[in-house]
Amino acid sequence: MGSHNKKHHIMDSKGLVVLVIYIIFIKASTGLQRFSEQPRYTEVNPGEDALLTCKVIEKRGVCSWQKDNKPVGIYPKKYEWASSSMGMHAPHPGGDCSLWVRSATLDFDDGIWECQVTASDFTTQDALTSQPVRLVVRVAPQRPRLEQEGIHIPPGHNVTVDSGATTTVKCVSHYGNPPATLRWYLGDQELLPLHPQTNSTEPDNPRTWSAASVVQVPATREKHGETLKCLAFHESYPARAIPVEGRLDVRYAPTIRLMGEPQIDLEEGKDSLVLRCEADANPPASIVWRRAGRSEIASLQESLNLRPISRRDAGLYTCQAQNSVGSSETLSVQIDVKYPPRITTAGPDRHTTAPLFSPAAFECIAEGNPLPTYKWVQKISGYGNNVVDRGSEPRLVINNVTYDYQGEYECRATNYINGQERSVTSEPIQLQVVGAPLVLRTNSENGHTVSVRRGESATISLVVCADPRPRHVAWEWGSLRLEAGAGVGRYRVDDVIQDSREDCYLATLHITDANPADARPYYLVVENERGVDRHAINLRVEGMFAEPLGLSYLLGIVGGVLAAFLILFLLCIHVVRTKKCCFKGRSTYNTKEKDSEKADLKSRVDMTGSGGVPPLDSIYTTPTGFHHHHHHNGLQGSPEAMKVRMAAMILSPPTRV
């Protein structure tokens, strides 16, 4: 009985566990309301709209908002549901309880906001309240200010402290919302504050804040003159930050630093130089500038001005500071003045005459800093480039003068200042070349060649230079010679005309209706009082061998071949018929004569050996009777004619008639 009660108790316990699990399962399957996104800290400028986000999963309750623990109603154009502004008619679709705060103001909207959702039903305790977040309506703080030992320091004024001491400086920013963020800088280096920044509401305006930060600055001579700066950062500032500065005034013996030392080349007459000898001293120190190698003082001012700078200002400069405490070290700076090149000599003469194939030399001297480089150029009229480089040394030597070297020469001196080219060009120097004629050669590897198509007109030209002017100019080819201005047949030679270059002339030969026979070298022969020159130019006629054959020409060839075969065929027939006729004519021979001829032929065949071919002379020997019956045919019956016919019969294949 006891065992039975025990089993019944165990079964009741199991049923209870199952029931609990079932209830939990049902609860889990139905789901409770919960946040998928809660409001976050938000800042907004006055007059702008702010969106407070709040989204709920499995939402079945009613959304509402509180500000500073007070409920907030929904008012058009002030507090609006975000889902309604998107044109959705269903309340809070998808559990979106987000709220628009329109035209935010400090007095009404700045504060702590919460998103709330009522429970799904009376029995389900799933009401929601978000974490409180702040909506900040920004207010730009006042300009920050510095205080030393409780005394206000106007911007840009000194923060005075003795060397080796430590001074405490405070930076304060008033009436900002949220409070400004303060940072300290000494020169370009950020300083850590003595304590974290403190923020407190303003007594007369609790919705705004006062921010304060304190820094301690050890006073050393290295920091004298540096700028102590407090930067106040705030989103409402037009530049995001406003500084307030003070200058450290530390009393100590002078130390100096040199400012304005040139970092680039100084060009004479173009650049100015201002050197400053800044003294780190308190009380103030006096400055003395001196120039090495000179006894007089260059300047007693902090700044040494060289405007504009000239090459006379180049040298070593020193500066030193003194006050009642002592003297500083001496600092020095080397000044180097650059100036563009200037040509002092170019020549030896402005006009030079040189015989053909003789040497010539020019010289150029220029001054400049840095030292200039040189380039000799020759100006040639009538060419695209118009300039030819001839040398890169101060002295130009031409070992073998030709007419190519005739013209104007210029010396160009160049240096570079600050990466920019400075260049000067000399007055032109004229080189005149005299001598025998010289036909200008081509630099082509295949020689000078002119190409034309078959049937076109060809123009062959060469330039010849000569001084004095040529007295005879002619073109020669094969056994022909044509003087300038003459012509014959398809060939014509123009009169010599002046070329674009001085003392150079153009000689031209014209050939009309060029054909393959015109493809050859043509020689230009030129003569003056000093000598003669002769040079060839080749003419190539394109299409000489590669022209396609015409249809009529091909038909003519084919017709000729067919005619030759037809004639050969008829000749063979004629030979065969002629042979039959000859033997028919001898039908009057008696049997003895035929037997005699056969025996005679057999004996001749035997002379050649068994199976051999009889000699032609023996085969073509004509019997007496043959001449007797055919003497009227002339050569047709002669031994020579018979040899031709028999040879044709032997060498040609048999023909059926």
Side-chain angles (χ1 to χ4, degrees):
M1 184 68 178
S3 174
H4 177 75
N5 292 334
K6 187 176 182 180
K7 288 183 179 179
H8 182 72
H9 178 71
I10 292 173
M11 292 180 63
D12 290 343
S13 300
K14 290 183 177 179
L16 181 60
V17 171
V18 172
L19 180 60
V20 171
I21 294 175
Y22 176 75
I23 293 173
I24 294 175
F25 176 77
I26 293 298
K27 290 287 186 180
S29 63
T30 56
L32 300 178
Q33 296 183 137
R34 59 191 182 276
F35 285 115
S36 63
E37 187 174 353
Q38 296 192 43
R40 291 173 293 180
Y41 174 86
T42 304
E43 290 187 13
V44 63
N45 291 327
E48 295 182 353
D49 296 343
L51 177 63
L52 299 177
T53 304
C54 179
K55 294 184 180 180
V56 181
I57 299 175
E58 302 290 343
K59 175 190 163 300
R60 288 182 295 277
V62 179
C63 298
S64 64
W65 284 85
Q66 281 192 354
K67 173 183 170 292
D68 296 334
N69 297 320
K70 294 181 181 181
V72 175
I74 301 302
Y75 303 102
K77 298 183 180 180
K78 184 56 182 177
Y79 302 126
E80 300 175 346
W81 295 116
S83 57
S84 299
S85 65
M86 297 174 63
M88 300 179 182
H89 301 291
H92 317 303
D96 189 356
C97 297
S98 301
L99 181 71
W100 274 110
V101 178
R102 305 293 188 183
S103 301
T105 62
L106 177 67
D107 294 334
F108 290 102
D109 304 317
D110 186 271
I112 305 300
W113 289 74
E114 298 177 13
C115 176
Q116 296 180 346
V117 182
T118 62
S120 300
D121 52 51
F122 178 75
T123 59
T124 305
Q125 298 301 315
D126 58 352
L128 300 177
T129 299
S130 70
Q131 60 184 5
V133 296
R134 177 164 183 149
L135 173 61
V136 176
V137 180
R138 299 187 185 110
V139 175
Q142 294 179 352
R143 186 182 185 89
R145 54 186 290 173
L146 295 179
E147 297 177 0
Q148 183 185 20
E149 307 298 338
I151 300 174
H152 172 62
I153 302 175
H157 281 58
N158 293 338
V159 178
T160 304
V161 60
D162 292 336
S163 178
T166 299
T167 185
T168 302
V169 183
K170 183 178 181 181
C171 181
V172 181
S173 171
H174 291 286
Y175 299 103
N177 188 37
T181 301
L182 305 177
R183 289 185 181 177
W184 288 96
Y185 294 88
L186 183 58
D188 295 329
Q189 184 178 3
E190 186 173 0
L191 296 179
L192 295 178
L194 185 61
H195 304 290
Q197 173 181 322
T198 59
N199 302 317
S200 59
T201 58
E202 296 287 356
D204 55 344
N205 189 353
R207 291 191 177 275
T208 59
W209 298 81
S210 172
S213 180
V214 178
V215 69
Q216 283 189 338
V217 182
T220 62
R221 57 185 305 168
E222 289 77 18
K223 292 182 173 59
H224 177 72
E226 290 190 1
T227 300
L228 180 64
K229 177 169 57 178
C230 173
L231 270 177
F233 293 88
H234 199 275
E235 291 293 334
S236 296
Y237 286 146
R240 298 281 309 277
I242 292 181
V244 59
E245 300 176 353
R247 182 176 179 273
L248 282 183
D249 181 21
V250 181
R251 298 177 179 271
Y252 55 84
T255 58
I256 58 173
R257 59 175 179 171
L258 186 62
M259 303 294 292
E261 188 172 356
Q263 303 299 317
I264 59 174
D265 293 338
L266 298 173
E267 185 173 353
E268 181 182 35
K270 182 178 180 181
D271 294 325
S272 298
L273 177 64
V274 178
L275 291 173
R276 287 196 308 157
C277 190
E278 289 190 352
D280 186 8
N282 196 18
S286 59
I287 307 296
V288 177
W289 282 96
R290 290 185 173 87
R291 183 175 176 183
R294 298 186 182 181
S295 57
E296 67 271 15
I297 295 175
S299 175
L300 292 175
Q301 302 296 323
E302 181 184 73
S303 298
L304 175 65
N305 298 325
L306 302 174
R307 301 188 181 193
I309 199 166
S310 70
R311 67 189 72 182
R312 297 189 303 271
D313 296 324
L316 180 66
Y317 290 80
T318 62
C319 75
Q320 189 178 38
Q322 293 180 336
N323 68 356
S324 59
V325 179
S327 299
S328 70
E329 60 179 339
T330 300
L331 298 182
S332 61
V333 58
Q334 181 72 43
I335 303 301
D336 185 22
V337 181
K338 308 294 185 182
Y339 48 93
R342 184 178 70 88
I343 295 177
T344 58
T345 301
D349 299 313
R350 291 287 180 264
H351 298 276
T352 301
T353 300
L356 187 66
F357 304 128
S358 67
F362 306 104
E363 188 173 19
C364 181
I365 299 175
E367 62 180 7
N369 185 22
L371 292 176
T373 59
Y374 295 87
K375 178 188 286 187
W376 285 94
V377 297
Q378 176 189 359
K379 298 176 66 176
I380 302 176
S381 60
Y383 287 79
N385 189 24
N386 217 27
V387 167
V388 177
D389 293 344
R390 290 302 187 190
S392 58
E393 300 293 334
R395 182 175 174 82
L396 173 64
V397 178
I398 306 173
N399 295 319
N400 191 22
V401 172
T402 64
Y403 290 106
D404 290 335
Y405 291 95
Q406 180 168 271
E408 286 188 352
Y409 285 77
E410 292 179 346
C411 170
R412 296 180 181 177
T414 303
N415 65 8
Y416 289 85
I417 301 175
N418 291 321
Q420 296 183 354
E421 181 182 289
R422 300 287 189 268
S423 182
V424 64
T425 303
S426 69
E427 292 292 330
I429 301 172
Q430 186 74 33
L431 175 62
Q432 186 75 26
V433 180
V434 296
L438 184 64
V439 179
L440 301 187
R441 270 63 171 171
T442 177
N443 294 327
S444 172
E445 295 181 358
N446 299 325
H448 204 163
T449 303
V450 174
S451 298
V452 297
R453 295 187 62 82
R454 185 174 184 171
E456 295 179 350
S457 296
T459 299
I460 303 174
S461 298
L462 283 174
V463 175
V464 60
C465 297
D467 190 3
R469 183 185 178 95
R471 59 187 181 186
H472 292 296
V473 177
W475 286 90
E476 295 180 351
W477 67 97
S479 60
L480 295 180
R481 175 186 174 97
L482 278 182
E483 297 286 341
V488 58
R490 295 182 296 111
Y491 306 96
R492 178 173 54 85
V493 177
D494 290 344
D495 289 328
V496 175
I497 62 175
Q498 179 71 45
D499 190 53
S500 57
R501 296 173 54 182
E502 183 182 2
D503 295 334
C504 294
Y505 310 91
L506 182 66
T508 304
L509 168 65
H510 299 281
I511 304 173
T512 58
D513 192 18
N515 59 56
D518 295 324
R520 63 168 68 227
Y522 293 80
Y523 293 87
L524 176 63
V525 182
V526 187
E527 177 185 359
N528 71 354
E529 290 86 345
R530 294 178 178 266
V532 181
D533 192 20
R534 187 171 186 265
H535 184 60
I537 183 171
N538 294 313
L539 176 64
R540 182 174 64 186
V541 181
E542 297 179 352
M544 292 169 53
F545 306 105
E547 290 186 355
L549 296 175
L551 180 61
S552 59
Y553 186 68
L554 291 174
L555 293 176
I557 293 176
V558 173
V561 172
L562 293 177
F565 276 109
L566 181 60
I567 293 172
L568 181 60
F569 177 74
L570 293 176
L571 180 62
C572 292
I573 294 175
H574 176 74
V575 170
V576 171
R577 288 183 175 180
T578 303
K579 180 178 179 182
K580 290 181 179 180
C581 292
C582 290
F583 283 99
K584 182 179 178 182
R586 294 192 58 182
S587 61
T588 57
Y589 288 175
N590 56 32
T591 306
K592 293 182 179 180
E593 290 177 339
K594 292 179 180 180
D595 293 340
S596 175
E597 290 176 0
K598 290 179 180 179
D600 184 54
L601 180 59
K602 182 177 183 301
S603 64
R604 295 184 182 185
V605 171
D606 292 339
M607 293 175 62
T608 65
S610 176
V613 178
L616 288 178
D617 290 342
S618 63
I619 295 176
Y620 298 146
T621 301
T622 308
T624 305
F626 188 89
H627 294 286
H628 175 74
H629 292 282
H630 297 280
H631 66 277
H632 60 279
N633 292 330
L635 291 177
Q636 185 177 3
S638 66
E640 290 77 12
M642 288 300 296
K643 287 181 180 180
V644 172
R645 293 191 186 101
M646 293 301 292
M649 293 175 64
I650 294 172
L651 299 177
S652 301
T655 305
R656 292 183 180 182
V657 181

